[in-house]
Amino acid sequence: MLRHRDTGIRGALGRLGIRNPAAVLWNLPSAALFEEAVRRGEGVTAHEGPLVVRTGEHTGRAADDKFVVRDALTEDRVAWGKSHQPLAGEAFQALHHRVLAYLQGRELFVQDAFAGAEPSCRLPIRVITEHAWHALFARNMFLLPRGEEARRPHEPQFTVLHVPGFRAAPEIDRTRAEVFIILDFTRRLVLIGGTRYAGEIKKSIFTVMNYLLPERGILPMHCSANIGPGGDTALFFGLSGTGKTTLSADPERRLIGDDEHGWSEHGVFNIEGGCYAKVIRLSPEAEPEIYATTRRFGTILENVVIDPETRHIDLDSDAVTENTRASYPLSAIDNASATGMGDTPRNLIFLACDAFGVLPPISRLTPEQAMYHFLSGYTAKVAGTEVGIKEPKATFSTCFGAPFMPLHPSVYARLLGERMKESGARAWLVNTGWSGGPYGVGERMKIVHTRAMVRAALSGALDGVASEVDPWFGLAVPAAVPGVPAQVLRPRQNWADPQAYDRQARQLAEMFHHNFVQYGDQVSPAVRAAGPRRI
C-alpha cells in the first residue's frame, strides 16, 4: 500500500472539510494507479494492456441530474434551465456535509492537474476520488504539471470531489435522484455522486471553463481540432456520434485535441490533455489511430466487452452499452501536438449526423448561416436497439454543447461571430449521417467519402469549384469533390422516391424553424433568414 504518498496533502484536504481519511494516495503515477485498480478489483487487464472497467447502471451522463448552486454570483449569469438546474446554497452545504461524513475512514486518491493548454488560460484543478481507476482517468484526461509547474506548490482554483459510492436521498438533498453533479462557483467546488461514469468528471470541468473563459473574451468550444501540414488549424464541432473524434484523428494532420478547446486572441488551445473516444464498432482501417489506443497499456476501456478467459476485447459488442469509451492521453496518438495549441483556425466544420437522410453531405456556409447552425447545433438520434423503431429524433443542442454551456447562448454566439470576422475563417456543414433514405432505409455515409470531402475543404481544393444551392436548406453544395462520386453530393437524387425526400426535407426544415424561434430576438434579420427555406 502506498500510504506514504499522503504526506503534505492532508492539510489541504482538511481545509476542504475532509477529516480522518484512512489513507491519501496523492499524485500516483499511471502505472501505480493501474496496479491499484486491478488489486482492488475495479477492473481487469485486457490482452495487450488496457484496463477494462464497468460503470454499472450508469453508462452515460446523467444530464437531468446536473445542478448549479444559485447565489449572488450565478443568479444573473447562468442560463437556468434543464441543463443547469438551480440548487439552493443551503441544500448544497447540507449535502456536502453528508458527503464529508461518508468519506471519513476511506482511502482517497488525489490528482493535481490543469485545464487549458495555453499558459495564460490554465486553471489549476484537483480531483479527489475513492477509486483508483477514476484517478487514472483524471490523469489521462487533464494536463499534468511539467517542468517548473511540477516544482511549485499546486494551488487548485477548482476541486472535483467525486464519490460514486455515495447516493443522494432526494427527499433530503433536494436532488432529482440518487445521482448528482453539482457545481458551486462561489466555493469553487464540484460534487459528483451516485455514478461511476467517468465522463462526468471531465464534463464538469469543461462546464467550469465554459463559465469562466468568456469573461476574458475567450470562446470555449465543444469541438475537436487539428493542424494541417501548412500549419492551418481546423475545428470540428459536433455532438456525440457525429464523428468529430474520428475525423480529427487524421494521419495527415496533427491532432490538437478531440473534444474541448478555447479560442483566444492567440489562437486555439486544448482544454484537456487526453481523449475520451467512443469505440463501439471501431474499425482498424477507418480509425487506425484510435483503434491502436485500445491495444495499449494506460488506456481505460469503459464498458467494453471482454472474454474472461482469453482477455480479448470485442469492440463490436453493445451487450453492455452502445456508449463504450476509451480514455487515453494525447501522447498515445503518434501525430498529436506536443503543445496542445494551434494558430487561429482557417476552417470550421459543423458536423451533423442526419438520420432523416436529407442534408447535403457537405456545403459551404455564409457567415450568417454559420451563426444559424452554431446556435441550432443540429444532429439526429436513432432508436438504438429497440426492435422495429426506425423513426429518427431531431436533436438541437445550442453551440453543439448545451449541457456544458452554463451562460446564455448569445454569449458564445457573439464570441464566435467576433472570432470569425477577425480571422476570416470559413465554415462548412458536413452530414455524417444517412443518404438515400432515413435511418432504417438509407445507408450511412461512407467514412472514406466524408474524409475526402473534409480534406478537400481544408486543403482549398473546393475554393474554385462551382456550387449548387440546395432548394430546401439554402446551402451551397460543391458540384464536384475529388474522390467522391457526383451522385453522393446530391441527396435528393439518391432517394428512390424524390417526393418522399421532399416530405422528409420539409419536415426537418420545419423542425429547424421551430427550434430557432427561441433565438429570434437575439440575432440579426440576416441570421434569422439564414435557415432552411419554407417552401
Side-chain angles (χ1 to χ4, degrees):
M1 176 64 65
L2 301 169
R3 295 174 187 270
H4 64 281
R5 292 283 188 161
D6 65 4
T7 306
I9 190 64
R10 285 180 178 260
L13 297 187
R15 289 189 289 275
L16 286 173
I18 298 175
R19 313 289 184 193
N20 306 316
V24 181
L25 294 93
W26 183 26
N27 288 334
L28 296 190
S30 298
L33 289 171
F34 192 103
E35 291 172 354
E36 285 290 303
V38 172
R39 185 183 69 81
R40 294 162 182 254
E42 297 175 3
V44 297
T45 307
H47 177 64
E48 296 185 287
L51 178 70
V52 179
V53 298
R54 291 281 185 270
T55 63
E57 61 181 306
H58 300 286
T59 59
R61 289 186 304 104
D64 294 336
D65 299 303
K66 184 177 181 181
F67 298 85
V68 175
V69 173
R70 192 170 198 159
D71 56 20
L73 184 65
T74 59
E75 175 70 42
D76 297 325
R77 292 202 67 212
V78 172
W80 304 105
K82 183 178 179 181
S83 295
H84 301 94
Q85 304 171 78
L87 186 72
E90 61 270 21
F92 176 86
Q93 189 170 3
L95 176 58
H96 184 206
H97 286 161
R98 296 205 323 114
V99 168
L100 294 177
Y102 166 84
L103 290 176
Q104 291 201 45
R106 296 182 184 274
E107 294 181 338
L108 300 178
F109 293 86
V110 179
Q111 285 289 316
D112 293 334
F114 294 90
E118 185 176 309
S120 64
C121 303
R122 288 167 88 82
L123 179 73
I125 64 171
R126 174 166 287 156
V127 178
I128 304 169
T129 180
E130 54 185 325
H131 291 156
W133 83 263
H134 285 114
L136 179 59
F137 177 87
R139 194 172 179 85
N140 278 353
M141 299 309 303
F142 297 116
L143 296 155
L144 301 178
R146 305 288 186 192
E148 184 61 30
E149 283 181 336
R151 289 186 285 272
R152 291 196 300 264
H154 190 81
E155 299 180 1
Q157 295 181 21
F158 238 96
T159 298
V160 177
L161 189 52
H162 180 253
V163 285
F166 179 92
R167 294 177 180 268
E171 66 279 6
I172 297 174
D173 299 313
R174 304 189 208 176
T175 56
R176 191 193 67 88
E178 294 179 332
V179 176
F180 55 90
I181 303 95
I182 310 173
L183 291 80
D184 188 326
F185 287 98
T186 297
R187 295 178 177 87
R188 295 202 160 224
L189 179 65
V190 179
L191 283 185
I192 302 173
T195 173
R196 296 202 301 271
Y197 181 68
E200 302 288 12
I201 298 173
K202 86 181 211 87
K203 288 304 185 185
S204 66
I205 290 298
F206 185 41
T207 304
V208 168
M209 296 294 276
N210 286 329
Y211 180 90
L212 298 176
L213 290 180
E215 285 187 306
R216 303 172 59 184
I218 299 167
L219 172 64
M221 303 171 292
H222 185 215
C223 70
S224 57
N226 62 24
I227 307 171
D232 60 296
T233 300
L235 305 179
F236 299 78
F237 293 83
L239 302 175
S240 178
T242 56
K244 67 180 186 298
T245 298
T246 296
L247 291 170
S248 59
D250 186 332
E252 297 180 8
R253 300 175 65 88
R254 273 186 297 129
L255 180 68
I256 299 175
D258 83 321
D259 196 45
E260 305 171 3
H261 292 83
W263 186 351
S264 73
E265 60 182 1
H266 305 298
V268 170
F269 61 91
N270 194 355
I271 289 175
E272 298 183 295
C275 298
Y276 191 45
K278 290 188 74 171
V279 294
I280 189 70
R281 291 179 284 279
L282 198 67
S283 164
E285 293 77 30
E287 298 110 345
E289 292 80 19
I290 302 173
Y291 184 87
T293 69
T294 67
R295 267 72 181 168
R296 69 182 298 277
F297 175 81
T299 293
I300 302 170
L301 297 178
E302 272 189 352
N303 299 315
V304 170
V305 171
I306 181 172
D307 186 304
E309 295 184 2
T310 67
R311 300 293 182 92
H312 284 85
I313 59 174
D314 182 0
L315 296 180
D316 292 330
S317 175
D318 59 1
V320 179
T321 177
E322 280 272 337
N323 190 35
T324 54
R325 294 273 180 171
S327 163
Y328 49 89
L330 270 169
S331 58
I333 301 294
D334 290 338
N335 62 338
S337 166
T339 64
M341 296 186 286
D343 290 338
T344 298
R346 298 182 193 173
N347 290 279
L348 281 60
I349 308 290
F350 295 161
L351 301 170
C353 179
D354 177 29
F356 292 87
V358 294
L359 280 182
I362 186 170
S363 50
R364 183 167 179 174
L365 305 177
T366 65
E368 293 76 18
Q369 287 174 328
M371 292 292 290
Y372 184 96
H373 285 278
F374 180 69
L375 281 169
S376 297
Y378 166 72
T379 192
K381 296 181 179 180
V382 296
T385 57
E386 288 188 45
V387 177
I389 303 297
K390 297 183 178 181
E391 186 70 22
K393 179 182 179 182
T395 298
F396 295 93
S397 186
T398 306
C399 309
F400 294 97
F404 326 118
M405 307 288 183
L407 307 182
H408 197 280
S410 61
V411 173
Y412 308 107
R414 175 181 56 79
L415 285 169
L416 178 72
E418 292 173 357
R419 289 284 179 259
M420 288 189 67
K421 185 176 181 180
E422 294 165 0
S423 65
R426 300 174 298 183
W428 307 82
L429 181 64
V430 172
N431 173 19
T432 61
W434 275 257
S435 181
Y439 169 77
V441 177
E443 294 183 355
R444 188 80 188 260
M445 296 282 183
K446 294 182 179 179
I447 185 64
V448 63
H449 291 157
T450 301
R451 281 199 186 277
M453 289 182 278
V454 169
R455 287 171 176 167
L458 301 186
S459 69
L462 301 182
D463 289 356
V465 175
S467 61
E468 304 170 359
V469 177
D470 182 275
W472 281 103
F473 299 97
L475 303 169
V477 182
V481 176
V484 180
Q487 68 271 19
V488 171
L489 302 173
R490 298 167 180 83
R492 191 174 188 270
Q493 295 181 15
N494 291 327
W495 281 54
D497 182 353
Q499 284 69 42
Y501 169 88
D502 290 337
R503 290 191 296 271
Q504 195 83 309
R506 179 182 289 109
Q507 180 183 355
L508 181 57
E510 286 301 318
M511 291 178 184
F512 268 98
H513 287 295
H514 178 75
N515 173 73
F516 207 78
V517 167
Q518 61 186 307
Y519 311 118
D521 60 351
Q522 304 162 23
V523 298
S524 68
V527 173
R528 285 199 301 271
R533 299 178 178 181
R534 307 189 93 159
I535 302 176

